[in-house]
Amino acid sequence: MHKTLLPVVLVALAGCGGGGAKYHVDDQSLATASVQEKQGILAASQEKEVAKTEQQKAEADLKNVDNDLSIAENEYKTAKLTKDTAQLNVKNAQMSGDVNRQNQAAHDLRVAELGVRSADAKVDWLNKKRKWIKAQRDAADDHWAAADSRCELEKAKLAQQKGIKPSKDFDVMNFEQDSMKKQQSYSSSRMDADKMQADVDRLERDYQAQLQTYNTAKASAN
């Protein structure tokens, strides 16, 4: 049967994680295809948009957690200084012989120590959260790459169905292998990110418990 030779562009790109499809089919070559014929392509394109939204959210979340972490690190430094001051006050109170002053200084030191623990727990939690969000961003990048590769695979399959063969080395199998490889990468990175969430949640609970203990000690009667 006669093959229609339309200007399909098949490009091999340098493959890299999150870099999108390795092989491409020019959209113009499929301009005459009906919407019904393009259902697979349209579905993959929609998935690309979903992945793009995931990328944007991860980037925004990363900026937010970076800001929160900077604040938390400063809070930890302040808590350490407060503890150092409280330790000096304990020494001075001991030399004064004033029991009331000693009791107050000891209480203040205990509160300051709890403040350091709380601040330290917050930094630990946000550090882990930052790693988790970076893993989510990596997964979003891999998701976009997988969706892009799937989109090109759908185009290649449609081109083959319509009898379009731009060159002798055009092979839908190449698109299928690339799509499978990128889908596997996405599944792996998605799983890695999901596994980290439990640790993030645990560290947040630890921080909240430390914070509650600290706040209770601060509010207690001297």
Side-chain angles (χ1 to χ4, degrees):
M1 183 177 70
H2 178 69
K3 300 292 184 181
T4 305
L5 299 179
L6 296 180
V8 179
V9 177
L10 176 63
V11 184
L13 300 177
C16 60
K22 184 176 182 181
Y23 304 98
H24 294 262
V25 173
D26 184 14
D27 291 338
Q28 188 59 37
S29 67
L30 301 174
T32 60
S34 67
V35 173
Q36 187 61 37
E37 289 175 317
K38 291 181 177 179
Q39 285 303 303
I41 299 171
L42 295 174
S45 296
Q46 289 177 346
E47 187 178 356
K48 283 175 63 176
E49 290 303 313
V50 170
K52 184 176 180 181
T53 300
E54 292 172 350
Q55 289 175 314
Q56 292 170 340
K57 183 180 185 304
E59 288 293 344
D61 287 346
L62 188 57
K63 289 180 181 178
N64 287 336
V65 77
D66 280 342
N67 183 63
D68 291 343
L69 183 56
S70 294
I71 294 172
E73 288 172 342
N74 286 333
E75 290 173 346
Y76 176 75
K77 292 176 183 177
T78 299
K80 285 279 290 180
L81 289 174
T82 300
K83 178 184 174 182
D84 292 343
T85 299
Q87 288 174 329
L88 291 175
N89 288 338
V90 167
K91 292 180 181 179
N92 291 334
Q94 289 172 344
M95 290 187 293
S96 72
D98 186 332
V99 175
N100 289 331
R101 183 179 173 187
Q102 289 172 359
N103 290 338
Q104 181 63 52
H107 172 78
D108 291 345
L109 177 57
R110 177 174 177 273
V111 172
E113 288 172 340
L114 291 173
V116 170
R117 292 179 190 174
S118 174
D120 190 35
K122 186 175 184 180
V123 170
D124 285 346
W125 163 49
L126 291 176
N127 267 320
K128 189 66 175 182
K129 184 177 181 180
R130 185 178 189 278
K131 291 178 181 178
W132 174 50
I133 292 173
K134 288 183 71 176
Q136 287 183 313
R137 184 185 62 183
D138 291 343
D141 289 344
D142 286 344
H143 188 190
W144 188 91
D148 188 49
S149 185
R150 178 190 159 205
C151 187
E152 295 303 321
L153 170 59
E154 292 295 335
K155 293 178 188 177
K157 287 162 64 176
L158 180 56
Q160 185 180 60
Q161 291 170 9
K162 294 181 73 67
I164 301 169
K165 187 175 176 63
S167 65
K168 64 181 181 180
D169 57 354
F170 174 81
D171 190 347
V172 174
M173 183 66 70
N174 291 332
F175 291 83
E176 291 176 342
Q177 291 176 347
D178 184 58
S179 180
M180 182 179 297
K181 179 179 178 181
K182 286 183 169 56
Q183 182 60 46
Q184 289 173 342
S185 294
Y186 168 52
S187 296
S188 177
S189 59
R190 180 74 270 164
M191 186 178 299
D192 289 343
D194 289 345
K195 286 179 179 178
M196 296 177 67
Q197 185 171 2
D199 284 340
V200 175
D201 292 343
R202 175 181 56 80
L203 289 172
E204 182 178 12
R205 289 194 298 271
D206 290 346
Y207 160 61
Q208 292 295 343
Q210 292 280 4
L211 179 62
Q212 183 176 358
T213 301
Y214 171 52
N215 287 334
T216 299
K218 280 199 303 180
S220 65
N222 295 334

